[in-house]
């Protein structure tokens, strides 16, 4: 069993299937990684936004972790939406004990603009979870909150990546430039070197779940033993294809296409 790459996602749900736990498990499956999940919150959500959220009791989150981690091989863990400080404390205890690869998607605000975590949880995330992260994957609004600095251009993106590693203790930071104009450029700083990942930008509103999918793909590749740079490189290719072949489903921002890589293989 230990030879099968296995990844665990700890996050909230998305009943419309484009983001959260559902997006993570789809991504793991497409990248031939065995996916497991611990649910933090049940979210009433669709392509137009978040309608309601029910947070699971912290005891239940702890019991899920106690069920999965001792029983199954866990080669990497990804966290998404963790709504409050109490949840984060329990999760941090497990991460600090037994996790080798930890990918943090610092989910704070939905694409629709709806806030997803409390203010004290944001502070705990910066102070306690970031130092545990193998890599953290903020978009521009999230990176601005973490660093307290505005990000208006690619130089600011690079500075944010440096700051998150040097001042907050993450081993690496991937700051994503999807909110800027021009090509979609992301910067990875691993404490020693800055890497640039650039892709064509596609004119589509169907980007629901992009951040979840990107970080899940990184998690999957780390589970396979890839070095961080290569894991991010392949994940960038995966999420770019998912956006290029995204779906016009729903009344709002449609979901990305988790099987787009299969579509590309067929067309080539």
């Amino acid at each position: 069993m230990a030879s099968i790459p296995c990844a665990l996602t700890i996050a909230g749900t998305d009943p419309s299937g484009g983001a959260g736990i559902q997006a993570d498990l789809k991504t793991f499956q497409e990248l031939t990684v065995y996916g497991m999940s611990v649910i933090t919150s049940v979210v009433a959500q669709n392509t137009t936004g978040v309608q309601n959220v029910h947070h699971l009791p912290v005891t239940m989150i702890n019991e899920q972790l106690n069920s999965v981690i001792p029983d199954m091989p866990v080669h990497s863990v990804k966290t998404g939406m963790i709504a409050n400080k109490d949840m984060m404390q329990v999760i941090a205890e497990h991460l600090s004990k037994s996790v080798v690869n930890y990918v943090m998607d610092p989910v704070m605000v939905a694409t629709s603009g709806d806030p997803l975590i409390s203010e004290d949880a944001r502070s705990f995330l910066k102070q306690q979870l970031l130092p545990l992260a193998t890599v953290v994957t903020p978009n521009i609004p999230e990176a601005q909150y973490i660093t307290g600095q505005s990000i208006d251009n690619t130089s600011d993106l690079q500075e944010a990546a440096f700051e998150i590693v040097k001042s907050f203790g993450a081993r690496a930071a991937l700051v994503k430039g999807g909110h800027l104009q021009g090509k979609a450029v992301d910067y990875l700083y691993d404490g020693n070197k800055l890497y640039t990942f650039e892709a064509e930008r596609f004119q589509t509103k169907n980007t629901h779940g992009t951040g979840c999918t990107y970080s899940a793909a990184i998690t999957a590749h780390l589970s396979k033993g890839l070095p961080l740079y290569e894991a991010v490189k392949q994940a960038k290719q995966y999420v770019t294809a998912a956006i290029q072949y995204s779906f016009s489903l729903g009344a709002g921002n449609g979901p990305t296409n988790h099987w787009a890589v299969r579509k590309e293989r067929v067309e080539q």
Side-chain angles (χ1 to χ4, degrees), residues 174-190:
L174 176 69
V175 182
K176 301 172 293 187
H179 288 77
L180 296 179
Q181 299 298 314
K183 290 190 175 182
V185 182
D186 309 327
Y187 292 97
L188 172 69
Y189 180 61
D190 65 1

Side-chain angles (χ1 to χ4, degrees), residues 91-131:
I91 292 167
E93 290 174 6
H94 285 274
L95 293 175
S96 63
K97 290 177 184 176
S98 56
V99 173
V100 177
N101 295 307
Y102 168 35
V103 179
M104 180 202 290
D105 182 11
V107 177
M108 298 178 183
V109 180
T111 302
S112 57
D114 296 290
L116 294 175
I117 70 174
S118 63
E119 187 63 32
D120 66 334
R122 296 184 188 195
S123 297
F124 189 92
L125 181 148
K126 291 195 293 182
Q127 297 166 8
Q128 302 296 327
L129 284 182
L130 274 174

Side-chain angles (χ1 to χ4, degrees), residues 55-63 84-88 90:
H55 303 313
L56 268 65
V58 173
T59 53
M60 185 60 189
I61 295 170
N62 189 49
E63 287 173 3
N84 58 54
K85 179 180 175 181
D86 291 340
M87 290 183 185
M88 289 184 179
V90 167

Side-chain angles (χ1 to χ4, degrees), residues 28-185:
F28 295 163
Q29 187 77 10
E30 287 299 325
L31 295 176
T32 64
V33 168
Y34 184 81
M36 301 164 287
S37 64
V38 167
I39 294 172
T40 59
S41 302
V42 178
V43 186
Q45 179 182 11
N46 57 26
T47 63
T48 67
V50 175
Q51 291 78 49
N52 203 349
V53 180
H54 172 71
H55 303 313
L56 268 65
V58 173
T59 53
M60 185 60 189
I61 295 170
N62 189 49
E63 287 173 3
Q64 291 180 78
L65 290 164
N66 281 332
S67 293
V68 174
I69 292 176
D71 183 52
M72 304 291 285
V74 180
H75 301 120
S76 60
V77 172
K78 174 208 160 170
T79 59
M81 177 185 169
I82 313 174
N84 58 54
K85 179 180 175 181
D86 291 340
M87 290 183 185
M88 289 184 179
Q89 286 178 319
V90 167
I91 292 167
E93 290 174 6
H94 285 274
L95 293 175
S96 63
K97 290 177 184 176
S98 56
V99 173
V100 177
N101 295 307
Y102 168 35
V103 179
M104 180 202 290
D105 182 11
V107 177
M108 298 178 183
V109 180
T111 302
S112 57
D114 296 290
L116 294 175
I117 70 174
S118 63
E119 187 63 32
D120 66 334
R122 296 184 188 195
S123 297
F124 189 92
L125 181 148
K126 291 195 293 182
Q127 297 166 8
Q128 302 296 327
L129 284 182
L130 274 174
L132 299 175
T134 304
V135 61
V136 56
T137 63
N139 59 27
I140 288 177
E142 292 159 350
Q144 288 180 146
Y145 183 86
I146 292 170
T147 63
Q149 303 295 323
S150 63
I151 298 175
D152 301 310
N153 51 52
T154 55
S155 295
D156 293 340
L157 284 174
Q158 296 173 46
E159 286 300 320
F162 293 141
E163 182 71 12
I164 291 170
V165 172
K166 293 177 178 177
S167 297
F168 295 95
R171 276 181 274 170
L174 176 69
V175 182
K176 301 172 293 187
H179 288 77
L180 296 179
Q181 299 298 314
K183 290 190 175 182
V185 182

